Structure formats: structure tokens, C-alpha cells
Amino acid sequence: MVHSDDKTGNHPEPPTEDNSEPERIPVMQQILDNPFLLLFLGITIPAVFYVIWGIMEIVHIPIAK
Amino acid sequence: MATNEQYRICPATGLRIYRSAENLIKANAVVAVVFLAVGGLFGFMVAMTRWKAIHLLPAKWFYLVLTAHGLDVLVVWIIFFEMAVLYFASAVLLNCRLATPKLAWTGFALMLIGAVVTNIAVLQGGSSVMFTSYVPMRAAPHFYLGIILFAVGALIGCFIFLGTLIIAKQERTYKGSIPLVTFGALTAAIIAIFTIATGAIILIPTFLWSLGYISHIDPLVYRTIWWAFGHSSQQINVAAHISIWYLIAAVIFGAKPLSEKVSRFAFLLYILFLQLASAHHLLVDPGISSEWKIFNTSYAMYLAVLGSMIHGLTVPGSIEAAQRRKGYNNGLFEWLRKAPWGNPAFSGMFLSLILFGFLGGISGVVMGVEQINLIMHNTLYVPGHFHATVVAGTTLAFMAVTYLLIPLIFQRELILPGWARVQPYLFGLGAGGISVFMMGAGTLGVPRRHWDISMADAQLPYDFPGAANLMMGLNGMSAVLATLGGFIFIVVVVGSLLFGKRIAVGTTEAASGSGQPAASAVGRYGSAEAPAVPGTLAMVGVFFITFILYYFVNWKYLAEIWPLR
């Protein structure tokens, strides 16, 4: 089980049965807690900036006559 | 959801270990070590050939062996071990069962078959195209097929890791956020998925080209996409071995990160930007603009470097904070002097951290500068850099954590503890020497892929300065040390698995599905409280001074060989 430690400025825990008042989870933590959003970002960014941009530049090289 | 799957509680850490995950961790780790032994032997032969006084192999064998060495250690050893890390960081650290263990075994089988098929293709002699396998060099079709099978198997492993995260969340085996080590493994898995996808994009057409179904593959397109696979595969390592640094610090010292948030942010920088560093292999290629090169290296890559520097501060900082809590407060470095340097898990991890940062990190940034890259592009400097990252960094970290896995997962005591104690030092010294001397030779212009650096059989032979030959000799001697360290590692690991005294098995019971607290700090979310880490800050200061000096030395060197008038 993973513990949260509020004294060290860490995130609030999600609501549990004995704690019905949910604390607001910061946006950044929500991003970091979402593995599929991270997977999307981790594939899209290099695909756009490295692969697609790079291939577009190569494709635009004029063919020698 | 309740499950009847069997698990045991590790008596040392309190971690719950499911049988299915445990068996997969064992299988992947064992195969990884076997390929490390094979690939390491090939590497030794390469180094002995590059050493002019020995020049071990004839040309044909040199390229064959170099191809096998690259594939076996840069891909097979590393990724098999990373599969073990993914299963450990998910099922074990999250106290949950593994998603679809049967499919995980299918993935394992595909990886094993792929690795064996590719090795056979290389050893048959018709596929000496080296790790990069640049077109229009054509290997045998089963060379590409083997890599594709291996990649599919690894991809299955990555998705099983993600599936296990879902199971853990659904079954509430943890609260809040996943532990930092698991988050690092998630980073590695995301980079691995991108890596494998790009590998498929380029290697499937190349496989069809080798069969004759496709007439032409553009070399520049191949190089661009292949490096998204080839370099990113090494970025998986970085994320994985840094997770292992945190793991070892937590297990040995009970160390908490200086700040969970900052460490997670550093991993996020990896997810977003680390793969873009692949561009530094193309910095002198025509046809791609400077805007693309500079954005991908000098802008985006630096954000990933920021992530590495954060880890370089927080990992030793977390150890210092833990040591100071135990009372090692005298001076700047009592915490470090009193660290367990005789424990190979710690010494291997700390050497990995130092060598990766000072050699691999600094040289990687310097090499990623478009102008400076001209000095060392396609020279031995490049293998010097990645031996610092992959051998001195990743391999040494993986060796270090193996010393923890043997009692934890294999439930065996280490044999030959004296040998194990010196092993990280021998291997670290050897790997560090290989890196430094190859980078030195590369700076003097020695090419990275040539069988005979004097090019004695060429129409236009070239005499390198005597210092280059000295560097190659020192590289050979360092390779002997590293090989000795690697040999001791294999003897200790295999010997411990076969003959090590069995450790008493922990409690085994049917899982109820409710999580149990892990005794180890590895599974906890939380930062060290108000840590003071002056020793670490002093080391960081030394790092920055070294970084700045080395950076400007290279600019000065560039100015000398490329004078501006």
C-alpha cells in the first residue's frame, strides 16, 4: 500500500470511506496520475517534432533531374 | 476483485510477491544475464581487435562480432532485464497480481525466439550490418524478422505493465499516486512503446525489402526513423536505471526522495522530451534543416537533460538525507564515507550514478551541440559516450539491483561475497576507462566502425597521432578489466542461483485482494522532511564546474580545427 504524507507537502489522498470530504487534487497531479494521458503525450510529442517534421523535410527535398 | 493466486510476503521488505510475476521476473532476468554474457564476450573480442598490438579478429569476423555485440547488449540484455523491472515495479511494488500472465509468457517467448533468430542470422555471416543496419546494406530476412518478433514481445510486456497498473487501481492495492519507482518504470514503458512503434515503422518495410517485395528504401528516411528506435531504446534504459537508483536508495537506506513532486516532474520531462535526443545522430546529415536539428537537440533535449540533472541531485540527496537522519552529520561527507561501500548493490548503484552523470551525461550534451558534433561525429567518441551511459550507467545499475533481486526474488544467498564486493569496482573502472579512452581516441579522429584504424590495406593509409594508439591500448586494457568484472558478475549470479543457500520462504497464502502495507520505503509516497544536503550540493557544484569546463574546452578545440578568419 502506498502511503501519503501530508507533512511533506505531498498530495491529498482520494476520498475513502472514512473521509467523505474529497480534497481538490491539483491539475498537475491529475496529469501525473493518468498513465494513458502520459502515454499519449509521450508518443505524440516525439512523433510530431521528430518523426513527422523530419520526414516532411526529407520529402520536400527536390528530386535530382 | 478477489483472486486465488498464490503469493508470498518477502521477509526482508514486507513486499507481497505473486508467483506469476515472480516467475516472469526470474525468467526475464536469467535470459538477460545469459545474453549479457554472450554479448559481453563479443564486446571483449571487438576491443581486442581495436587494440593495435593484438588486433585479434580478421575483418570479416570483426564486423560480424561487432553486429552481434551491439544487438545482444544494446537490445537483448537490456530489454529482457527491463521486462523484469517492469513486472517488479508493477506487480511487486503495487502489491497486486500481474495482468494476463499467460500473455506475458507469450511475449517472453517471442522475445526469446526473436533474439535467437537474429543471433543465428548474424552468426551465419550474411548479416554483418551492425546494430544500425543502415540501408542499402542488406541483411538476411530473418535478421529483421528476429528483431521484429523481439519487439512485439517487448511491446506485449509494456502493455501488461499498463494493465497491471489498472488492476492495482481497480483492486485498490495502493492509495493516492503510484510509488516513484513505479512511476519511473511507467516512464520507461512509455518510451519503450514509442521506440517499438518507430522500430516497426521502419523495420517491417526493411524486412519486406530484404525479401524483395519492396524495391527501395530511402537511406535518409531510414536513418531518421531508425534512430527514433535506436536511440530511444537507450532512453528506456535511462528511465529504468534511474528508477533502480531510487529503488536501491530506498531499500538500503530507507531513503525518501527529496521531493516526490520534483522527481516526478523530472520523469515527466523524460516522457515529453527524452526521445527527441535521437536527432543528435543526424546532426551532420544533409536534407534536414538546422531548425529541426537545433529544436530537437539544443532546445527540447536540454529539457530532458534538466530531468537528468534533477535526478542527479535528488538520488544522492535522498541518500544523504537518510544517512544524516541516522546521525552521520559530521562534515560534508561523513554520510558518504559511512555508506555501505562493501555492499555491491550500493557501490554498483553509486558508481553507476557518478559515471553516468560525469561521463555519459556531460558527453551526451556536448555531442548534441550541432557545431561541436562536427569534431566527433561518427568517431569512436560516439561509442565512448554510449558505453558511459549504457555500460557504466545502465548495466552497472542493473548489476547492482541483481544483488538485491537474488535474495528477494530468487530467495538465495549470494555465493562468493568477497568476489561480489569487488565486482562493481572492477566493472565500473573498466567501463569508465572504455568510455574515457574511446572518447579520447574519437576526439583525435579515430573512426567508430573501422576494423583497422591505421587503414593499412587502403590505397590512402592514414597515420593517427601516437596518442590515438595509446588511447586504443588503454581502451583494450580497460576492456580486460570490464570483462573480468562481467565474468565475476556472471559467476556470482549463476553460482548463487544454482548453489546459493536457500533463504527461508515467507508466508504463502491466498490473496484476498485487499492490499497489505509494504514495509519497505520503496512502496511509499512521500518526501524526506526538511532535508539538508550540503554534501550533495557540493558534489553538484563539482559536476557543474566539470560540465562548464568540458563544454568550453570543446568549443576551443573546435575553434582550433575550424578557425574563423
Side-chain angles (χ1 to χ4, degrees):
Chain A
M1 187 183 295
V2 179
H3 299 274
S4 178
D5 187 351
D6 289 339
K7 285 181 185 172
T8 54
N10 293 313
H11 65 83
E13 292 185 1
T16 55
E17 286 173 9
D18 52 344
N19 178 18
S20 56
E21 288 284 326
E23 290 187 55
R24 194 182 65 82
I25 299 174
V27 174
M28 194 63 196
Q29 190 190 326
Q30 290 183 39
I31 293 171
L32 293 176
D33 284 345
N34 188 337
F36 293 97
L37 176 62
L38 296 177
L39 176 63
F40 173 76
L41 293 172
I43 290 181
T44 306
I45 288 176
V48 170
F49 287 111
Y50 179 91
V51 179
I52 296 173
W53 181 6
I55 296 302
M56 282 177 65
E57 295 212 343
I58 296 168
V59 168
H60 280 91
I61 298 172
I63 295 171
K65 294 175 182 170
Chain B
M1 188 182 78
T3 172
N4 290 323
E5 195 179 338
Q6 294 293 302
Y7 71 87
R8 65 179 176 83
I9 302 293
C10 173
T13 62
L15 294 169
R16 179 191 289 181
I17 301 171
Y18 283 85
R19 292 290 179 213
S20 57
E22 184 177 24
N23 292 336
L24 278 157
I25 292 167
K26 284 180 182 175
N28 280 282
V30 166
V31 174
V33 169
V34 169
F35 277 98
L36 173 66
V38 174
L41 182 64
F42 287 138
F44 177 71
M45 289 193 263
V46 168
M48 292 304 105
T49 307
R50 283 184 170 145
W51 190 349
K52 203 173 170 183
I54 296 178
H55 212 44
L56 179 69
L57 299 172
K60 185 181 172 186
W61 276 95
F62 174 77
Y63 295 114
L64 185 154
V65 164
L66 184 56
T67 306
H69 169 59
L71 282 164
D72 283 341
V73 290
L74 280 173
V75 175
V76 182
W77 137 249
I78 292 289
I79 293 186
F80 264 118
F81 201 91
E82 277 158 359
M83 288 299 121
V85 171
L86 289 187
Y87 296 142
F88 180 85
S90 55
V92 176
L93 292 188
L94 295 179
N95 277 301
C96 75
R97 64 192 170 85
L98 195 68
T100 62
K102 285 182 183 169
L103 191 59
W105 282 109
T106 309
F108 172 78
L110 282 172
M111 287 174 69
L112 185 56
I113 293 167
V116 171
V117 166
T118 302
N119 268 274
I120 290 171
V122 173
L123 294 174
Q124 283 172 332
S127 301
S128 299
V129 291
M130 287 169 279
F131 173 57
T132 45
S133 57
Y134 288 143
V135 297
M137 285 194 295
R138 193 191 302 252
H142 53 301
F143 172 87
Y144 305 109
L145 181 64
I147 299 174
I148 292 166
L149 289 176
F150 183 87
V152 171
L155 192 59
I156 290 171
C158 292
F159 282 109
I160 287 169
F161 170 82
L162 292 172
T164 307
L165 295 190
I166 293 171
I167 287 175
K169 190 162 192 168
Q170 282 178 343
E171 297 183 358
R172 296 172 182 270
T173 61
Y174 69 96
K175 284 182 183 171
S177 300
I178 54 177
L180 184 61
V181 174
T182 308
F183 191 79
L186 171 64
T187 305
I190 289 170
I191 297 173
I193 291 168
F194 171 78
T195 301
I196 294 165
T198 49
I201 289 170
I202 199 60
L203 287 174
I204 291 174
T206 310
F207 169 59
L208 297 174
W209 167 75
S210 73
L211 288 168
Y213 293 119
I214 291 178
S215 61
H216 176 72
I217 303 253
D218 182 79
L220 190 50
V221 169
Y222 178 92
R223 283 168 61 81
T224 304
I225 301 179
W226 190 91
W227 276 115
F229 160 75
H231 195 82
S232 299
S233 64
Q234 307 315 307
Q235 314 292 23
I236 311 168
N237 306 343
V238 175
H241 80 230
I242 288 174
S243 307
I244 284 172
W245 293 348
Y246 283 110
L247 171 79
I248 292 175
V251 170
I252 294 180
F253 298 97
K256 291 179 176 180
L258 293 182
S259 164
E260 278 264 358
K261 288 176 184 171
V262 171
S263 294
R264 272 165 208 263
F265 178 70
F267 278 123
L268 177 66
L269 290 175
Y270 280 180
I271 291 171
L272 302 182
F273 302 113
L274 196 55
Q275 299 98 307
L276 303 178
S278 307
H280 80 230
H281 291 276
L282 304 168
L283 283 176
V284 301
D285 279 42
I288 309 176
S289 67
S290 284
E291 288 85 352
W292 182 88
K293 292 172 181 173
I294 291 171
F295 176 82
N296 279 294
T297 54
S298 301
Y299 283 84
M301 190 182 88
Y302 290 167
L303 293 170
V305 171
L306 175 64
S308 289
M309 291 199 292
I310 290 171
H311 293 306
L313 166 69
T314 57
V315 174
S318 68
I319 294 172
E320 179 175 359
Q323 288 282 79
R324 286 186 184 275
R325 272 200 308 274
K326 291 173 189 165
Y328 299 117
N329 279 311
N330 288 332
L332 278 179
F333 293 114
E334 190 194 21
W335 64 275
L336 194 56
R337 284 199 315 275
K338 298 286 175 65
W341 291 100
N343 180 341
F346 169 74
S347 60
M349 169 257 159
F350 209 83
L351 285 173
S352 157
L353 188 152
I354 296 293
L355 294 171
F356 176 80
F358 277 83
L359 298 181
I362 291 177
S363 63
V365 173
V366 167
M367 207 166 52
V369 178
E370 190 177 12
Q371 296 90 332
I372 300 177
N373 190 274
L374 290 170
I375 308 174
M376 67 265 290
H377 193 87
N378 244 356
T379 67
L380 261 185
Y381 192 98
V382 181
H385 156 71
F386 69 69
H387 278 73
T389 55
V390 181
V391 185
T394 305
T395 299
L396 196 47
F398 286 4
M399 287 173 166
V401 79
T402 303
Y403 291 117
L404 291 183
L405 288 179
I406 289 173
L408 176 63
I409 298 293
F410 292 91
Q411 298 170 275
R412 300 275 186 174
E413 285 183 10
L414 284 182
I415 64 159
L416 301 171
W419 288 32
R421 209 169 291 132
V422 297
Q423 186 273 329
Y425 298 100
L426 272 178
F427 190 81
L429 191 62
I434 289 170
S435 308
V436 166
F437 297 125
M438 279 209 277
M439 286 195 275
T443 306
L444 295 169
V446 174
R448 67 179 286 195
R449 289 194 169 108
H450 209 284
W451 163 69
D452 173 22
I453 66 161
S454 65
M455 305 191 190
D457 57 349
Q459 285 187 327
L460 291 171
Y462 182 77
D463 271 336
F464 282 100
N469 290 316
L470 175 66
M471 294 284 176
M472 298 311 289
L474 291 170
N475 171 54
M477 291 176 201
S478 302
V480 172
L481 272 184
T483 306
L484 185 60
F487 175 74
I488 292 174
F489 174 75
I490 302 290
V491 169
V492 170
V493 169
V494 174
S496 300
L497 300 188
L498 295 177
F499 309 114
K501 189 178 166 190
R502 191 172 281 279
I503 295 171
V505 181
T507 313
T508 301
E509 52 192 282
S512 63
S514 62
Q516 295 292 322
S520 165
V522 183
R524 291 171 190 271
Y525 187 106
S527 307
E529 287 181 50
V533 288
T536 301
L537 291 178
M539 292 197 312
V540 167
V542 172
F543 173 82
F544 275 124
I545 291 168
T546 311
F547 197 162
I548 292 165
L549 286 177
Y550 188 69
Y551 190 74
F552 283 104
V553 161
N554 275 279
W555 277 105
K556 179 82 176 75
Y557 187 48
L558 175 66
E560 284 177 6
I561 62 170
W562 184 20
L564 298 173
R565 298 182 198 283

